[in-house]
Amino acid sequence: MYSITSESPAHPDIIALIAELDRYQSALYPAESNHLLDLTGLPEHTLIMMVIRDRQLNAVGCGAVVLNADGSGEMKRVYIDPAHRGQRLGEKLLAALEDEALSRSCHTLRLETGIKQLAAVRLYERCGYQMCEAFPPYAPDPLSLFMEKALVADLRLAVL
């Protein structure tokens, strides 16, 4: 049994998971292709941070959405501890992040991931994300893939 809850990006468990993610990504890509955003410096109202905990309350996964003023958001720092993969935790985490983003008037989520992270790409595709062009603040990068998902089918509904 796992739980998914909101958490501060400054919580020691989140910091530890993100450090694991940074080590993993730094081994795959050169520094200029790693976009390792420090979430602890962002204004609280612009960030959704969630953690997955097991029965013993150990943090085994995390993910975030950075909300933009235009109603879009960017998925960041999604990570599941390798020992807990294969249990659809990624899908559950993305669904929880999407639900919270939608409740905060976010109509579209985007993300950047690396070309070597095939399991992550498959996860995002299973969850309805589609390839798109690079979006600000990113420039096209041969080691990056960009994806997006509309959370609201008709953007006119997002302003109601």
Side-chain angles (χ1 to χ4, degrees):
M1 179 74 185
Y2 293 90
S3 64
I4 300 174
T5 57
S6 294
E7 188 64 72
S8 165
H11 190 286
D13 291 344
I14 299 293
I15 291 171
L17 286 169
I18 289 176
E20 288 178 37
L21 174 60
D22 288 353
R23 280 190 295 277
Y24 172 71
Q25 290 181 320
S26 294
L28 293 177
Y29 307 105
E32 63 272 11
S33 292
N34 266 317
H35 308 286
L36 309 177
L37 178 65
D38 179 4
L39 301 174
T40 61
L42 297 178
E44 188 176 315
H45 72 278
T46 67
L47 181 67
I48 300 166
M49 182 84 233
M50 294 193 165
V51 64
I52 303 172
R53 293 187 183 278
D54 64 13
R55 288 182 190 198
Q56 293 76 36
L57 300 180
N58 298 308
V60 301
C62 65
V65 172
V66 177
L67 299 168
N68 300 314
D70 67 357
S72 70
E74 183 181 356
M75 190 80 64
K76 297 292 287 182
R77 304 312 215 148
V78 174
Y79 180 73
I80 308 294
D81 182 291
H84 295 270
R85 292 181 186 163
Q87 302 179 64
R88 300 287 186 209
L89 295 176
E91 285 89 343
K92 293 172 185 169
L93 176 61
L94 292 186
L97 288 164
E98 291 168 3
D99 287 347
E100 182 61 23
L102 188 57
S103 79
R104 296 204 206 174
S105 302
C106 179
H107 56 72
T108 304
L109 284 176
R110 294 183 181 93
L111 62 93
E112 178 274 339
T113 192
I115 62 169
K116 297 178 183 180
Q117 293 167 267
L118 300 179
V121 172
R122 286 192 301 272
L123 165 68
Y124 295 128
E125 288 175 338
R126 278 194 311 271
C127 291
Y129 289 79
Q130 298 177 343
M131 297 295 173
C132 67
E133 298 296 317
F135 54 89
Y138 303 101
D141 181 335
L143 299 178
S144 290
L145 296 173
F146 302 92
M147 303 178 87
E148 71 181 354
K149 178 180 180 177
L151 301 181
V152 177
D154 185 340
L155 289 182
R156 293 174 295 184
L157 299 176
V159 297
L160 295 179

